[in-house]
């Protein structure tokens, strides 16, 4: 019983990563907090589906369509859909109507359903059509730049673009990185030092809140299916 993930980083400034996943005898999984919105396409029992997914602020248990094959695009933080503001997608999502194996409908138009290898081509078309937009100030802040506007303006723009505060983005990303390091063999003490947690109980609380796993479960690879690639099958 498992979810088999394959993830690759993208060279597109609009896309963080592209992933595929196959569920084998899995009906539920631990959903992990995440800061990005995405497009997800899947097939099950000969039917095709598509959805827009939003950022998640906490861990939860989510149903998994058994025997489904997924392709997903996780967009860069700061991008958004013109017709679906990211704050409206937080801890939720929208299934797209009238999806077939070859096409899906988004923002009043029909688009060709992508595979993992041509995801960026779809995104480029969505960008050119003005359906996917981004706030460059948010991208600059994430790169460590200090914009020439007030902190209040930065926070307002950040919330508008991502649906989250800057602090929430940092905490969620740090917890996901911690989970990956622990699964790869790092000790809790090493992770505390690398990621600047206050102490091991602080790390443990973050993992419970955002990942839904304990240090021991991540280290031993137990706890059931989880929406995180802890086998480190990451390519570029």
């Amino acid at each position: 019983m498992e979810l088999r993930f394959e993830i690759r980083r993208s060279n597109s400034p609009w896309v963080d990563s592209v992933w595929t996943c196959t569920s084998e005898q899995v009906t539920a999984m631990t959903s992990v907090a995440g800061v990005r919105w995405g497009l997800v396409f899947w097939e099950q029992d000969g039917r095709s589906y598509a959805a827009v997914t939003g950022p998640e602020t906490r861990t939860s248990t989510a149903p998994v369509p058994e025997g489904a094959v997924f392709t997903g695009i996780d967009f860069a933080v700061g991008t958004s859909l013109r017709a679906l503001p990211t704050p409206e997608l937080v801890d939720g999502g929208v299934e797209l109507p009238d999806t077939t194996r070859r096409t899906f409908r988004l923002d009043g138009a029909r688009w060709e359903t992508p595979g993992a290898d041509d995801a960026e081509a779809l995104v480029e078309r969505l960008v050119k059509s003005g359906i996917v937009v981004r706030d460059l100030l948010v991208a600059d802040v994430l790169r460590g730049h200090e914009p020439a506007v007030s902190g209040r303006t930065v926070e307002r723009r950040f919330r508008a673009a991502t649906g989250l505060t800057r602090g929430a983005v940092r905490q969620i990303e740090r917890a996901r990185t911690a989970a990956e390091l622990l699964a790869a063999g790092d000790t809790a003490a090493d992770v505390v030092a690398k990621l600047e947690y206050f102490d091991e109980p602080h790390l443990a609380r973050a993992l419970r809140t955002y990942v839904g796993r304990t240090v021991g479960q991540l280290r031993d690879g137990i706890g059931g299916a989880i929406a995180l690639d802890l086998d480190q099958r990451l390519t570029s």
Side-chain angles (χ1 to χ4, degrees):
M1 297 178 60
E2 65 174 345
L3 294 176
R4 295 190 299 162
F5 276 96
E6 296 285 345
I7 303 176
R8 67 169 174 84
R9 296 296 183 200
S10 176
N11 292 325
S12 168
W14 299 85
V15 178
D16 178 74
S17 59
V18 178
W19 56 271
T20 59
C21 177
T22 303
S23 64
E24 296 181 349
Q25 298 181 326
V26 175
T27 58
M29 68 176 181
T30 299
S31 180
V32 178
V35 302
R36 294 169 180 82
W37 70 278
L39 287 173
V40 182
F41 308 90
W42 71 98
E43 294 187 5
Q44 182 192 26
D45 297 331
R47 294 189 61 186
S48 298
Y49 305 85
V52 180
T53 59
E56 296 182 59
T57 60
R58 58 189 179 274
T59 183
S60 62
T61 299
V64 177
E66 187 174 357
V69 178
F70 300 83
T71 298
I73 305 170
D74 285 344
F75 284 77
V77 176
T79 64
S80 59
L81 278 171
R82 177 180 61 190
L84 287 170
T86 307
E88 296 181 10
L89 296 170
V90 173
D91 292 324
V94 177
E95 186 169 333
L96 299 176
D98 196 18
T99 299
T100 71
R101 186 173 184 180
R102 293 185 177 181
T103 64
F104 68 101
R105 187 174 294 280
L106 178 65
D107 200 7
R110 184 160 287 283
W111 306 89
E112 186 175 347
T113 301
D117 293 334
D118 51 9
E120 284 86 356
L122 167 66
V123 173
E124 184 175 344
R125 292 193 292 272
L126 294 174
V127 170
K128 286 182 177 179
S129 298
I131 291 174
V132 173
V133 296
R134 63 176 170 172
D135 188 328
L136 291 176
L137 182 145
V138 172
D140 285 344
V141 169
L142 290 170
R143 287 195 294 265
H145 298 165
E146 292 294 333
V149 295
S150 70
R152 180 175 296 180
T153 296
V154 170
E155 193 64 41
R156 177 179 55 80
R157 296 268 292 270
F158 216 91
R159 283 179 176 269
T162 71
L164 306 170
T165 66
R166 283 190 289 172
V169 169
R170 285 194 298 268
Q171 291 168 23
I172 291 169
E173 291 281 75
R174 183 166 63 164
R176 291 173 66 99
T177 300
E180 293 167 357
L181 291 173
L182 290 164
D186 282 29
T187 67
D190 287 340
V191 173
V192 166
K194 286 180 181 179
L195 301 183
E196 299 182 345
Y197 281 100
F198 183 74
D199 54 21
E200 291 187 26
H202 183 201
L203 168 63
R205 288 192 297 272
L207 292 173
R208 285 197 302 270
T209 300
Y210 300 120
V211 181
R213 288 288 190 273
T214 66
V215 170
Q217 286 174 322
L218 291 163
R219 182 189 60 230
D220 298 335
I222 60 175
I226 187 169
L228 199 62
D229 180 19
L230 297 179
D231 289 334
Q232 299 298 299
R233 292 190 294 271
L234 186 64
T235 60
S236 59

